[in-house]
Amino acid sequence: MGSEWDWETGEGLLGVDDPADWDAAFERGERSLGTAAIGLALNCLLEEASPRIVRATRLPDAAQRGFAFTAVGAAARLNGALTPELYAALRDEGLVGTAEDAIRDTLTFVPFRDLPPWFKRRSVCLTVRGTLEGWWLSAEDAVEDARRALRRRRP
């Protein structure tokens, strides 16, 4: 077990770089495994970190699950790719909830051609939704500007 981090307080866990340390902590039932999964995403090969990050996405503690999905997003940023297991974890969690930022990071940093088909459909849906929301907000702004202009013209 490395001396750089403290599993009890979560101190220094972003520096976890040995999958065996994470595995041992998982077996002991340590509570900061999601935070340590970020360290694995930052410091290990994707193939080594992936199974541990997936396990962290299933932790009972919601905050630690959130950190695990942060690790998924970090992995997408650093590698420009995810493993099939990480894609499955994102799909299982869905867009609403703790995976939202990880899904958006994946759509930003993984090339569209490399996404699984269901993720490509999600990307198209989010793009269309974002465009429609942008148009809606622009229309609301135009209406509000027109209302203000009419109020100023009245005596």
Side-chain angles (χ1 to χ4, degrees):
M1 186 56 53
S3 61
E4 305 117 38
W5 46 82
D6 182 351
W7 289 98
E8 190 61 34
T9 65
E11 199 68 30
L13 290 176
L14 294 180
V16 172
D17 59 2
D18 185 352
D21 286 344
W22 194 94
D23 292 339
F26 183 82
E27 292 302 317
R28 288 192 312 271
E30 296 288 352
R31 64 179 191 183
S32 297
L33 291 165
T35 307
I38 298 171
L40 291 177
L42 297 174
N43 299 308
C44 296
L45 295 173
L46 180 61
E47 293 73 25
E48 292 177 328
S50 176
R52 287 132 184 118
I53 296 170
V54 169
R55 275 190 268 163
T57 64
R58 298 181 186 129
L59 292 169
D61 181 289
Q64 289 303 310
R65 270 195 323 277
F67 290 133
F69 282 107
T70 298
V72 175
R77 284 173 181 254
L78 292 171
N79 299 289
L82 292 176
T83 63
E85 296 80 19
L86 290 172
Y87 283 122
L90 291 175
R91 186 177 193 173
D92 291 345
E93 187 69 18
L95 185 58
V96 286
T98 56
E100 180 177 358
D101 290 335
I103 289 172
R104 292 186 188 281
D105 284 348
T106 300
L107 292 173
T108 301
F109 295 102
V110 175
F112 185 82
R113 70 182 173 278
D114 296 339
L115 295 172
W118 69 268
F119 221 122
K120 288 178 181 177
R121 289 189 298 275
R122 172 75 64 186
S123 175
V124 170
C125 288
L126 288 174
T127 301
V128 168
R129 187 172 100 188
T131 301
L132 292 174
E133 287 174 354
W135 290 347
W136 181 262
L137 292 173
S138 294
E140 282 182 337
D141 288 345
V143 168
E144 185 61 32
D145 290 347
R147 263 185 39 210
R148 280 192 207 121
L150 286 173
R151 284 185 192 160
R152 280 183 284 205
R153 294 178 71 202
R154 291 184 183 164

